[in-house]
Amino acid sequence: MYIEQAYKGLSESWRFILGVFVVFGAWQIFGGIPLLVALIAADAAGTLVTGDLGSMSEALGSNTFLFLMLLTFAIGLVCLLAYVALVHKQSVTSLTTSRKKIDWSRIFYAFGLWASISIALIFLDIWLAPEDYAFNFKLVPFLILTAISIIFIPIQTSMEEYFMRGYLMQGLGILTKNRWFPLVFTSLLFGMLHIFNPEVEKLGYGILVFYIGTGFFLGILTLMDEGLELALGFHAANNLTAALLVTADWTAFQTDSVYRDISNPVLGWDVLVPVFVIFPLLLWLFSKKYKWRNWKERLTGKVLTREEFLSQENG
């Protein structure tokens, strides 16, 4: 009963509605101040040519820009957890999982599994189409990138998971008293929030199939496993491998990675295969490992009232 864990804190509707605006506003305003100050300084020095990601990354240096961009998520996560603790009086554990304590083995298993698959797929593509990649490795920038990525990318992905699949999933479930609406809403919202990524401008709106599909995959993981642990591990592995191994001039992460994708980007099978082949296979694998049952009830069933939940907890 992951959604019902919200009842372990104060769960009135106004707290969730206010929380969305307070947390998102604080995340965007306070989180963006360091990056904004750096960009203003770069503009004053004449090194910032345009306002696109590539120009900002070049003006500040790719590692500095990545650090400041990821710092916004760190500040956002602090704001979210502070609001949950102070206004909802809810613990981090109940925001994370229905288990008595956070299951770190689940996080590491999902991380290791998806990191291994991602690395294999990346190097397979490099082997199949070496003309699409340029070796980009520079030791010192890469070491700095690695340090920044290992520390801050899991924070970035955790902010997205705790806000989307955690706070919003629980809040919408409590408000609507069902599971399907928060699953659909958070998945669509997760996809649509990527609409401003440079990948969308380059590849077109078809790329949103991947982002929305990923949102559904992570939402299903959360509801079926009754906790965020698998989603936290998967998301961190996905972004970390992308940042360290391959970059391109048209992606959100422009880093000093090992390889640079120099191909002319097109919307192809690499968007559809993860959503319609790999993700379903991963769900099957997780379901076998963790013995998931009652798919329909967990994904579309009703959410208990506070009284029903507390009665079961005390029963």
Side-chain angles (χ1 to χ4, degrees):
M1 292 187 288
Y2 173 66
I3 289 177
E4 287 89 345
Q5 297 304 303
Y7 291 133
K8 291 185 175 180
L10 302 177
S11 57
E12 294 87 350
S13 301
W14 69 266
R15 296 179 193 272
F16 286 105
I17 296 171
L18 178 64
V20 170
F21 290 101
V22 170
V23 172
F24 191 80
W27 173 17
Q28 296 301 307
I29 295 172
F30 297 115
I33 289 175
L35 178 57
L36 180 61
V37 170
L39 291 173
I40 291 173
D43 187 47
T47 56
L48 183 62
V49 179
T50 63
D52 61 86
L53 284 178
S55 179
M56 289 188 285
S57 180
E58 185 176 350
L60 300 179
S62 61
N63 281 329
T64 300
F65 178 67
L66 179 67
F67 167 73
L68 292 172
M69 187 169 66
L70 294 176
L71 184 61
T72 66
F73 290 89
I75 295 172
L77 183 59
V78 170
C79 293
L80 173 61
L81 296 181
Y83 184 88
V84 169
L86 296 174
V87 178
H88 289 275
K89 308 297 183 184
Q90 185 182 2
S91 68
V92 175
T93 299
S94 61
L95 183 62
T96 307
T97 186
S98 61
R99 286 167 274 277
K100 292 183 179 180
K101 59 182 181 179
I102 298 172
D103 188 346
W104 289 93
S105 68
R106 275 173 154 83
I107 297 176
F108 290 125
Y109 176 75
F111 180 92
L113 177 64
W114 187 241
S116 301
I117 294 172
S118 295
I119 291 170
L121 291 174
I122 288 171
F123 281 104
L124 175 63
D125 197 50
I126 293 172
W127 179 69
L128 292 174
E131 68 279 3
D132 290 343
Y133 296 89
F135 191 63
N136 189 57
F137 181 76
K138 302 178 186 67
L139 179 60
V140 173
F142 180 77
L143 291 176
I144 296 172
L145 167 66
T146 301
I148 294 171
S149 299
I150 290 175
I151 296 171
F152 284 97
I153 284 181
I155 294 175
Q156 174 242 328
T157 55
S158 293
M159 172 56 192
E160 293 186 9
E161 290 307 311
Y162 273 109
F163 189 66
M164 290 287 176
R165 257 71 60 178
Y167 191 69
L168 287 182
M169 184 82 79
Q170 288 188 346
L172 289 169
I174 294 301
L175 291 173
T176 63
K177 293 296 184 292
N178 65 60
R179 293 167 176 263
W180 69 264
F181 182 81
L183 171 61
V184 172
F185 184 89
T186 58
S187 300
L188 292 174
L189 180 62
F190 180 78
M192 296 309 294
L193 285 177
H194 289 81
I195 200 169
F196 300 109
N197 280 22
E199 295 95 326
V200 176
E201 180 180 351
K202 197 73 175 180
L203 296 173
Y205 292 114
I207 188 67
L208 293 178
V209 171
F210 172 76
Y211 292 124
I212 294 172
T214 302
F216 271 103
F217 170 70
L218 294 169
I220 292 169
L221 275 185
T222 301
L223 290 179
M224 288 304 303
D225 201 50
E226 298 290 3
L228 282 177
E229 291 98 333
L230 295 178
L232 286 168
F234 176 93
H235 202 162
N238 186 74
N239 287 24
L240 188 60
T241 54
L244 293 178
L245 293 182
V246 180
T247 190
D249 295 335
W250 45 271
T251 60
F253 278 175
Q254 299 182 25
T255 65
D256 290 303
S257 58
V258 177
Y259 287 92
R260 179 174 293 276
D261 186 340
I262 57 174
S263 65
N264 183 32
V266 292
L267 194 65
W269 65 269
D270 51 328
V271 172
L272 300 178
V273 169
V275 174
F276 296 106
V277 179
I278 297 177
F279 291 170
L281 287 174
L282 286 175
L283 288 173
W284 175 82
L285 178 61
F286 285 130
S287 72
K288 294 301 181 183
K289 179 174 178 60
Y290 296 112
K291 298 178 173 58
W292 294 345
R293 299 289 185 271
N294 303 322
W295 286 71
K296 182 178 179 180
E297 176 63 27
R298 292 193 185 193
L299 297 180
T300 66
K302 73 169 189 174
V303 170
L304 299 179
T305 64
R306 185 181 185 88
E307 292 72 22
E308 290 171 335
F309 174 74
L310 294 178
S311 175
Q312 284 196 17
E313 285 284 289
N314 299 327

